Structures are given as structure tokens and as C-alpha cells.
Amino acid sequence: MIYPGDLEQKLGFDQIRLRLTNYCLCSLGQRLVGLMKFSPDFEEVKTRLLQNLEFKQILDKGEAFPTSNFFDPEILFQTVAIEESFIEEEEFLKIGLSLQVIVDCQSFLFKTKEVYTELWKLSEPVNVPTRILNTLLSKLDERGKIKDNASVELARIRKRLREEEGRARKITEQIFRQAVSHGWVPDGVSPAIREGRVVIPILSEHKRKLKGFILDESATGQTIYLEPAEVLEANNEIRDLEHADRREVIKILKELTALLRSHLPELRQAYQFLAWIDFTRAKAKLAQDLDADLPNLTNSPDLNWMHARHPLLYLTLKGKRSIVPLTIDLTLNDRMLLVSGPNAGGKSVCLKTVGLIQYMGQSGLLVPLHDKSTLGIFQDVFLDIGDQQSIENDLSTYSSHLRNMSHFIQHASGGTLVLMDELGAGTDPNFGGGIAQAVLATLLEKQVWGVATTHYYNLKLFAENNTGIRNGAMLFD
């Protein structure tokens, strides 16, 4: 369980999501970034982290992993699923190129499966139908247009179309040369296309000297564009052939679309693989930014961290000045840490570092810790931080804190990580300190893990005199 509902925003995990989204190559990976969530399942977390680590190794080594032509076809597949529908030529080109990328990714991972085992497992069930790739290759040219030889009928139509276009040009050039010799044509012009038909520019005062049909005129009205009567028949034939060409192309597109439709389950599985590759690559890019690593994992609550760096603070200060890392060790005997110290001493940053790194790790992201650290698995993360006054819900700041404390006491267990900032603050110290101590005592009885920050002296004495909790202090530089 995650509490409260806006925990990600309070810890800054929403900024981590944004960075991941920006690293994705297409909406396939971006969609998985949006679906990424905290998991209490050890095997799932372990698998995601190993995938992340393997892709980071690919990037660190500079290996030639395919990264071009990533494409999300889901909207097109919705059209493909409809009988007698079709998608356009350019869209088939995108599908063809992206399917080839999927095959190339599989080929890379097959050759390196002994090294990148978890990534290979992702690709193993994927089957890109060879028939689809071969058919698209035979029907489309490199610009994504249907080839002349895609069908016998299309080849015939396009042959006649070229012949008629050649005949129309020949007649037009003949008439154009005649018009030029008589001075009927403006200087420096040539035959043009208007409304898909070949026309000759003629000076307005000579428009009656050539038989034909006026299709357009210049902005000044001094030049008209005339389709010679002799070319009319050829132009009409060209128009008819263009319509026939489009009808035949649509027929071919429907056949190609039907081919995709018959393989939709395999195609969706293939693109789901591409989505995971895009998503995992983005996670690896973030890991490089954070200089993140895979710590030791354990299938139980544990928190023994060395050189822990707050991810967002590290990114902010990177290249400007060094960050002071934290060493935090919670054990079965001392599950809770009470952090005190002056204002601006870093207590809240310490607390957020614990929360954000743990949340990242259990969301499948490599974390900025020393690789000898131990990252455990918690079932819940509960957070109480900041001014949570709510006018809409008629809650004062302290009432909100009390509501959170009540939730912690009712729902926390030995698998819960509780993070409480400025425990007991917001009210009369005589009352706040006492209530805070009672909350701590109850959480200790429930064997809850956690970090709390405070200014209260009575809480420091409580931590000193009770087992299961330790004092920690921040110093102001």
C-alpha cells in the first residue's frame, strides 16, 4: 500500500517519470513509464532491475543496439482490426521499418543471450511473421509507395499512364513551340500543371488564337493558362488512369491490411516487446545520469545503504559541486531512525532520500547507492511530510498530521516503511511531543520500519532509552 495518494509528488518521483518519458524513443515506452508503479513482489522487482542493469551495460559499452524507427502502431491496429478497412502506404512503411527493428533487436539479444539473459527472455516469445516483412518488402519501395509490379493490373495501368503522359507532353511541347514562335507566350515561361492537367501560359490578348479551355489566370490577369483542345483527350485519359491507379492501390492496401489483421496477436506481442525495450532503455539512460547501480537485493524489509545520494539533488548539482552522500543502516534490532538537527541541516532531504530511493528501487529503477548496499522489499510505504492543510476537507495542518498518524497506527505492519517529517510539529510542544512519543511507541510495538525527523527533546530521550529505535543527527555546515 502507498499512502498518501500523492506520495509520488511529495517525494519527487513525478520528476523521475518526466525524465524517463523524455528518454523514450516513442509513445510505446512512454505508455509504460505512465504505468510504472511500486511493487512489493520481490521476483518482479529483481527481474526489472536486472533488465535495467543489462541495458545500462549495453549503453556503457557503446554497443550497436538498434534505436531507430521505433514506432507505436496501436491507433493503426484499431483500423486494421476492422474488416475491409485499409491503412495508407506511408503507414505500412512505418510498420515495415519498425518490424525490421524488432527483428534486429531480437538478433542482437540472441547473439548476446549469455550476457544479457533477462533482456533475451523478453525477446524469446516474440515472433515477427516473416511473410509480412517479405510481402511489405516486395510491395513497397524505399519511399513507402506501392511498387509498379505490386500487381499485374497496376503494372499495366502505370505503363499506359506513362505512355499517355508522354503523349500529352509531346503534343503540348509542339503547340508551345508554335505559340512561342508567334510571340503569344510571356518571356521565360514553360508549360505548367493546373488542376492536374498540362496547360500553356498565354498572354491574355492572344487567348483567342489557340483552341482550348482556360483553366486559370495569373494574379494580374495578364496571363491565362490554357489547355489546348488537342491535349484534352490525352488529359482525360490520364485522369481516368489516375483513378484506376488509385483503385488498384486501394485493392492492394486492403490485401496488405488483411494480412496484418490475420497476424494481429503476434504483431501486438512484438510491439509490446519493443515497448519494453524502449522503456528499459530509458531507465538505463536515467541510471547513467544518476551513476546508479544494482545493490544487493533481499526478499524482506532491509535498509543498509552506503553512499546514498538524493537522485534529484544529485542531478541538480551534477557538474557544479559534489553532493554529500548518506550512510543509513536500519536493522532488525533498530528498525527506526530518529533524525534531529538544526533547521537547514538536511533532515528532510535525508528522509526524502530514503523514500525516493526505496520507491525507485521497488519500481524497477537502478538507484544511486554503492553496489555493496542492501535494498530490501517493503509491502507498504507511508509518508507524512510538509504542510498538508486542506481547506476543502476542513483540515488544519496539525489535524492532517493526526489523520496520517491514525492511518499509520491502523495499517502499518512489520513490512511497512514509515517516513515522518517534523514529527509532532504544528501544535503546542507540550501536547505535540507527547502525542508524537505515543505514536512512535505504538509503531515500535508493531515492528514498523521507518525514519522520522524532529526537534523535540523528549523524542530524542525516548529513542535513547528504548530498543528498536536509534538517534541520528545532522550537522549544519
Side-chain angles (χ1 to χ4, degrees):
M1 182 192 301
I2 298 301
Y3 180 89
D6 60 349
L7 178 141
E8 289 194 6
Q9 289 73 32
K10 290 182 180 297
L11 287 178
F13 190 76
D14 55 334
Q15 297 178 56
I16 298 294
R17 278 192 199 273
L18 181 59
R19 282 182 171 267
L20 286 173
T21 299
N22 291 336
Y23 275 135
C24 289
L25 296 169
C26 74
S27 55
L28 283 170
Q30 291 172 352
R31 195 154 51 242
L32 289 182
V33 171
L35 295 173
M36 177 178 58
K37 62 182 180 180
F38 177 93
S39 172
D41 185 308
F42 174 75
E43 291 301 328
E44 180 183 357
V45 171
K46 180 182 176 183
T47 299
R48 299 289 177 253
L49 288 173
L50 287 173
Q51 291 168 354
N52 193 346
L53 180 66
E54 289 178 2
F55 216 114
K56 181 174 179 286
Q57 291 169 348
I58 290 174
L59 297 182
D60 288 343
K61 294 175 186 176
E63 297 194 64
F65 193 91
T67 57
S68 60
N69 296 314
F70 276 53
F71 174 65
D72 182 358
E74 184 51 40
I75 293 178
L76 298 182
F77 283 172
Q78 292 172 20
T79 301
V80 169
I82 302 169
E83 291 290 336
E84 289 301 309
S85 64
F86 68 92
I87 58 177
E88 292 293 346
E89 297 161 277
E90 296 80 3
E91 293 162 341
F92 272 110
L93 178 64
K94 292 174 184 176
I95 288 175
L97 291 173
S98 54
L99 285 176
Q100 185 60 56
V101 167
I102 293 171
V103 171
D104 293 343
C105 289
Q106 277 188 295
S107 176
F108 177 95
L109 294 173
F110 177 76
K111 293 174 185 174
T112 57
K113 62 182 177 180
E114 302 300 327
V115 182
Y116 307 124
T117 309
E118 293 300 325
L119 291 176
W120 162 243
K121 288 178 185 176
L122 278 177
S123 73
E124 201 171 7
V126 175
N127 175 36
V128 176
T130 307
R131 182 185 168 201
I132 290 179
L133 271 176
N134 291 341
T135 302
L136 292 180
L137 189 65
S138 68
K139 303 285 186 183
L140 296 169
D141 63 22
E142 63 279 0
R143 296 174 297 114
K145 299 299 180 184
I146 296 292
K147 291 181 178 178
D148 291 358
N149 62 358
S151 75
V152 174
E153 178 62 12
L154 187 64
R156 184 190 69 79
I157 291 169
R158 290 188 174 173
K159 180 173 182 293
R160 282 196 58 204
L161 186 57
R162 286 190 293 271
E163 290 171 353
E164 289 299 324
E165 287 173 340
R167 186 163 76 90
R169 275 195 304 273
K170 186 176 180 182
I171 296 171
T172 302
E173 286 167 2
Q174 230 174 9
I175 297 170
F176 179 73
R177 284 195 298 271
Q178 178 187 349
V180 170
S181 67
H182 288 88
W184 301 339
V185 176
D187 293 336
V189 299
S190 58
I193 301 292
R194 287 293 185 275
E195 300 178 16
R197 305 173 84 88
V198 182
V199 295
I200 296 174
I202 299 289
L203 292 169
S204 295
E205 60 265 29
H206 301 300
K207 63 184 178 183
R208 302 295 180 197
K209 295 178 180 175
L210 270 180
K211 290 183 180 180
F213 305 89
I214 298 172
L215 294 185
D216 199 1
E217 68 176 11
S218 66
T220 61
Q222 293 180 352
T223 303
I224 58 98
Y225 295 91
L226 183 137
E227 179 185 22
E230 297 89 337
V231 187
L232 176 62
E233 182 184 343
N235 275 342
N236 285 339
E237 183 65 19
I238 289 170
R239 183 64 61 88
D240 287 343
L241 287 169
E242 286 173 345
H243 289 317
D245 182 291
R246 178 58 182 167
R247 287 193 297 273
E248 185 63 20
V249 165
I250 288 175
K251 180 182 173 184
I252 294 167
L253 292 176
K254 284 185 175 181
E255 292 170 356
L256 292 176
T257 303
L259 177 61
L260 294 185
R261 189 181 304 118
S262 66
H263 291 283
L264 263 184
E266 301 106 296
L267 291 173
R268 282 203 160 101
Q269 184 182 43
Y271 280 101
Q272 185 62 21
F273 162 69
L274 191 62
W276 273 105
I277 290 297
D278 192 14
F279 176 45
T280 307
R281 175 187 171 277
K283 294 196 294 183
K285 295 280 285 182
L286 177 67
Q288 283 187 315
D289 284 350
L290 292 171
D291 194 21
D293 214 326
L294 176 65
N296 298 313
L297 296 176
T298 179
N299 190 13
S300 60
D302 201 337
L303 205 154
N304 183 353
W305 296 354
M306 293 176 280
H307 299 165
R309 290 158 283 132
H310 188 286
L312 298 176
L313 184 61
Y314 179 75
L315 291 172
T316 301
L317 297 180
K318 193 174 183 180
K320 300 173 185 175
R321 55 193 176 97
S322 59
I323 189 173
V324 179
L326 300 171
T327 295
I328 302 173
D329 182 18
L330 302 184
T331 68
L332 284 171
N333 294 327
D334 290 313
R335 297 166 183 256
M336 295 202 73
L337 178 67
L338 184 71
V339 183
S340 58
N343 289 329
K347 299 188 301 299
S348 295
V349 172
C350 172
L351 182 114
K352 286 185 175 182
T353 300
V354 173
L356 184 52
I357 288 180
Q358 188 66 43
Y359 197 91
M360 286 175 62
Q362 287 191 237
S363 298
L365 298 172
L366 297 179
V367 286
L369 298 175
H370 192 284
D371 61 1
K372 300 300 182 186
S373 301
T374 299
L375 185 79
I377 298 295
F378 292 91
Q379 298 303 306
D380 320 290
V381 176
F382 294 165
L383 176 70
D384 178 65
I385 191 170
D387 183 352
Q388 300 168 75
Q389 185 181 78
S390 172
I391 294 174
E392 292 84 1
N393 296 320
D394 193 25
L395 289 175
S396 69
T397 299
Y398 193 62
S399 298
S400 180
H401 285 303
L402 286 179
R403 182 186 61 180
N404 290 342
M405 295 304 108
S406 174
H407 181 90
F408 297 173
I409 289 169
Q410 291 179 51
H411 300 285
S413 68
T416 304
L417 177 66
V418 170
L419 305 168
M420 299 173 288
D421 194 33
E422 296 295 350
L423 183 60
T427 189
D428 186 315
N430 294 319
F431 296 109
I435 294 173
Q437 183 172 319
V439 169
L440 275 181
T442 305
L443 293 177
L444 285 177
E445 287 176 12
K446 294 168 75 73
Q447 297 188 317
V448 172
W449 297 66
V451 178
T453 70
T454 189
H455 283 294
Y456 287 136
Y457 185 67
N458 71 299
L459 296 185
K460 302 174 196 177
L461 288 177
F462 175 82
E464 187 67 27
N465 296 323
N466 285 270
T467 58
I469 184 169
R470 280 185 296 172
N471 272 313
M474 308 297 292
L475 297 178
F476 183 73
D477 184 347

